[in-house]
Amino acid sequence: MAGSSERARHWQYAELPGVDLLRARYIQKTFVRHTHEHFVIAAIADGAEIFHHSGADQYAGAGALALVNPDTSHTGRAGVPEGWRYGAVYPSPEVVAEIAAETTTIRGTPGFVSPVLHDPYAVGLVHQVLRAAEEGNALAADTLLRVAVTRLLRLNGGPLPQREVRTAGARTAARARAVLEGRMAGPPTLEQLAADLGASPFALLRAFRDAYGMPPHAWLTDARVRRARQLLDAGTSPAEAATVVGFTDQPHLNRHFARIVGVPPGAYQRERKNVQDARQRLLLPSDVWQNRQHPRTYEPTTRRRNPTAPSSGTPWGSESP
């Protein structure tokens, strides 16, 4: 199967604040090591994904969910030649904490215990959330999201361990991270950073990897993409965002953004613009607003399309579970 069959849509639904949404089919796509500020709840519909998490490769096939807690480094790639098709919701820590407090007995910060859970019913719930969002059914989308998160927390939830900076190496890594956050557009070399912190380069490298799951340069790329997402959400152009966060140009941002987020920054920003427009829908007659909604699906080829949504309300038609 050719790589041109890959496609993805990464968007938000105005009636689900604090939640990102994704539908994707990937074959040759490879996600580099990265983190998310939100939870990842990825429901595999077809094929399989392998992702490196907590020092080991994890396998999630059809009927399973890949579950990643916030600020946890992981990768992603196809687990079978035909790739994988999935839908994902990315609820914020605040959204998950609210649901956990109301529907579970978890004390402390809630999170997922295992990175893979085989539960076809929960997989179906996630895809129903996405379908409801695509159809503009706010009541169903909100209800189904809460049911799905509650089920996953009851089956695979627990309190997240508190990260305490105790060792000298951990304290040095935290200081290094603060320096990189403050100098994102003009970071020092590893040698300069280590010297400023009174450590050797290799000692700093080991401490940083132990603390954050990736070396400083990979963490910085991830942090730049996070910051670029915030700028794009605020309306900054991709070219300007690239310069602000320290990428050499927009193609440099495009390459890293797609390898972490799954879609290019332009496609990502267009979906955010759609959400901003949707927030004004009450000012428009309902039929006018409906006619203005045109879901976009990114295809990583030279050809892009803007299909008319089928009667099911999803750009995936009969493929959707």
Side-chain angles (χ1 to χ4, degrees), residues 39 69-70 96 100 104-114 152-154 156-163:
F39 285 86
N69 295 318
V96 172
T104 75
T105 59
I106 296 174
R107 296 295 176 261
T109 304
F112 299 122
V113 175
S114 173
L152 293 173
L153 287 174
R154 288 177 175 174
N156 186 42
L160 291 178
Q162 296 296 317
R163 289 184 177 179

Side-chain angles (χ1 to χ4, degrees), residues 28-211:
Q28 300 173 350
K29 180 74 176 178
T30 298
F31 288 91
V32 298
R33 188 171 294 278
H34 64 286
T35 63
H36 296 273
E37 294 176 294
H38 288 191
F39 285 86
V40 178
I41 302 175
I44 312 299
D46 294 312
E49 178 188 14
I50 292 176
F51 60 104
H52 196 78
H53 179 286
S54 300
D57 280 346
Q58 309 291 336
Y59 179 94
L65 300 106
L67 304 170
V68 182
N69 295 318
D71 296 315
T72 302
S73 65
H74 60 286
T75 63
R77 68 182 191 276
V80 291
E82 60 269 28
W84 78 107
R85 180 172 64 88
Y86 70 113
V89 294
Y90 302 83
S92 70
E94 294 76 17
V95 169
V96 172
E98 175 193 342
I99 296 172
E102 184 177 354
T103 63
T104 75
T105 59
I106 296 174
R107 296 295 176 261
T109 304
F112 299 122
V113 175
S114 173
V116 176
L117 178 68
H118 187 80
D119 185 2
Y121 182 73
V123 167
L125 285 174
V126 170
H127 285 277
Q128 289 176 55
V129 172
L130 298 173
R131 186 179 298 117
E134 289 162 340
E135 293 174 346
N137 189 335
L139 179 59
D142 190 16
T143 301
L144 291 163
L145 175 71
R146 292 173 183 274
V147 172
V149 172
T150 298
R151 179 179 177 86
L152 293 173
L153 287 174
R154 288 177 175 174
L155 292 175
N156 186 42
L160 291 178
Q162 296 296 317
R163 289 184 177 179
E164 297 184 16
V165 179
R166 293 180 177 178
T167 67
R171 289 193 294 271
T172 299
R175 292 169 58 200
R177 173 174 171 163
V179 171
L180 294 176
E181 285 177 335
R183 297 180 58 182
M184 192 172 291
T189 65
L190 179 64
E191 184 176 5
Q192 291 170 339
L193 181 60
D196 290 344
L197 298 176
S200 71
F202 282 106
L204 174 58
L205 179 60
R206 286 193 299 270
F208 203 98
R209 289 177 67 104
D210 289 344

